[in-house]
Every structure is written in C-alpha cells, then in structure tokens.
Amino acid sequence: LYCLDKTLVPFGEKKIPKIIKGCIVDIREDFFMFGCCVNCNQFDKGCCIGRAGVNCAGSVGFFVKSNCSSSKECGFLTAAHVAHGNVFELNKSASPVEGDFHNIVHPALSQNVIGIVTKAFCGNCKTNEYQKGIDAAFVRFAENRGNFCFKF
C-alpha cells in the first residue's frame, strides 16, 4: 500500500493492519502520478507505457519481484486493458490468461521494448456478499532494458 504518511491515522479510523486475509501488508511512503514521465531516462512508477506498434497508452503500476524459488521474475503491474490486446477474451476467462505475449514499450508509441506481458486478467467475480473486479497484467522486464534504471 502506498500513502503519503503511514504514521497519520485519520480521526475515527483504525491503523492499517500488518496482515490482511493472510497476506503481509507492505506499507510504503511515496507519491507518484500515473501517465507522467518527467525524465524518460529514469523508468519509474507512473511512467507512460504502451503496446508495441499499437496506438495506446497507460501507466506503470507497481514494481514486483517474485518470491517463488522456481521463478525469480521481476517486472511491474499495469492495467490489462492497456497491456493485453483482447479484453473480451480476458472478460470471458475465469482465470488469468497466460500467453498472447505483447511487447511493452516506454514511452508509449516508441520502439523501446522494456517488457513482455506474461499474465493478464480483466473481469468480475461474484462472491456470496458482493461482486469484485480486477483489471491487471504482469509485465516481465525484457532481458535488454536499454539505459533505464529500475528502482525497487
């Protein structure tokens, strides 16, 4: 979770828990704006991205690093409707779509490939209580990332 000040708790609110439904909560103090590239030599959260050869644009979400011993993938999260070519296919699927690998470029509309979409999910699932929706894709960093610096 990102916030401006993790020590500030609004009146009448509880502190953010350290664990939610068995998942450890990582609280970070930071600020960034989506779709904003101040210095495109410094690839960071919020930078403008797109699919290679397609007139579309979106933003880098959060950098992620796999904790699995079998896979040490690094990359970032972004919106599936930006990173994946077929949102209708994603909406029909009850689980993340793997494959249909699209190259992701930075900045959008450039030829500078910085990653490859490896998983995407876009749709709703209904529980007994309420309906939840997700629109997310994982972009694995490309082997050759050019001159970009990646900060975790």
Side-chain angles (χ1 to χ4, degrees):
L1 301 176
Y2 280 82
C3 60
L4 289 176
D5 183 348
K6 61 185 175 184
T7 61
L8 181 66
V9 179
F11 182 74
E13 296 289 329
K14 296 179 183 175
K15 282 187 171 182
I16 297 173
K18 297 195 184 296
I19 295 179
I20 298 176
K21 293 190 177 185
C23 296
I24 297 172
V25 177
D26 181 11
I27 304 169
R28 298 181 182 204
E29 290 180 331
D30 201 357
F31 173 78
F32 64 96
M33 293 173 46
F34 288 112
C36 179
C37 288
V38 176
N39 180 359
C40 284
N41 292 325
Q42 185 71 32
F43 185 74
D44 206 352
K45 299 175 297 294
C47 276
C48 183
I49 59 165
R51 280 192 320 274
V54 178
N55 188 6
C56 73
S59 300
V60 173
F62 304 104
F63 292 127
V64 293
K65 218 180 338 184
S66 172
N67 289 333
C68 298
S69 58
S70 62
S71 171
K72 295 291 183 188
E73 288 186 318
C74 293
F76 60 90
L77 299 177
T78 190
H81 72 267
V82 171
H84 195 276
N86 190 343
V87 175
F88 298 111
E89 176 189 336
L90 292 171
N91 275 324
K92 289 190 296 185
S93 175
S95 60
V97 172
E98 298 189 39
D100 196 11
F101 304 115
H102 295 285
N103 286 330
I104 301 299
V105 296
H106 169 70
L109 307 178
S110 75
Q111 299 299 314
N112 186 35
V113 176
I114 51 117
I116 301 162
V117 178
T118 60
K119 292 184 184 174
F121 183 82
C122 183
N124 296 318
C125 62
K126 187 168 176 130
T127 64
N128 292 339
E129 299 174 30
Y130 50 89
Q131 188 167 323
K132 300 177 190 177
I134 189 168
D135 178 1
F138 174 70
V139 178
R140 179 176 42 90
F141 286 136
E143 297 298 321
N144 179 5
R145 301 178 220 160
N147 297 323
F148 293 107
C149 174
F150 298 89
K151 300 187 294 182
F152 284 94

